Structures are given as structure tokens and as C-alpha cells.
């Protein structure tokens, strides 16, 4: 998934660079962006599944 996002960003927003150095920098930037996005989505999914307090509810009785 990250490779697909990186390829789309490189092809549409950045374009094809004239030299190798610029190409490497572009891939590094989009790799960081897709990694951040994946980590952020993972964190959101974890927070949604985990209880808010981290402890089971106390039984009243």
C-alpha cells in the first residue's frame, strides 16, 4: 500500500526528476509521508479498539 501511495505521489505531484539525486530525495520524502500516514492510521485504529481508561469497568454491587 505504501509503495502504491509513493508511486502515485511521485507520478502526479512531483513528476519525474531529471537526475538520480532528485529522484532519491523524492522517494525518501514520499516514503516518510506514506510511513507517517500508515502509522497514524494504525494509531487511530488502535485507539478505537482499546478502552479509554485501559482498565475493565468496575462492578457495582
Amino acid at each position: 500500500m505504501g509503495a502504491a501511495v509513493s508511486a502515485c505521489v511521485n507520478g502526479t505531484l512531483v513528476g519525474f526528476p531529471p537526475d538520480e539525486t532528485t529522484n532519491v530525495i523524492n522517494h525518501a520524502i514520499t516514503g516518510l509521508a506514506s510511513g507517517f500516514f500508515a502509522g497514524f492510521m494504525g494509531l487511530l485504529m488502535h485507539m478505537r479498539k482499546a478502552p479509554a481508561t485501559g482498565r475493565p469497568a468496575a462492578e457495582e454491587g
Side-chain angles (χ1 to χ4, degrees), residues 5 10 14 19 32 36-37 43 51 54 56 61:
V5 170
N10 274 335
V14 179
D19 59 348
L32 286 172
F36 174 78
F37 181 71
L43 180 64

Side-chain angles (χ1 to χ4, degrees), residues 13-33:
L13 297 179
V14 179
F16 295 104
D19 59 348
E20 286 186 24
T21 305
T22 307
N23 191 26
V24 169
I25 292 171
N26 288 343
H27 280 292
I29 291 171
T30 56
L32 286 172

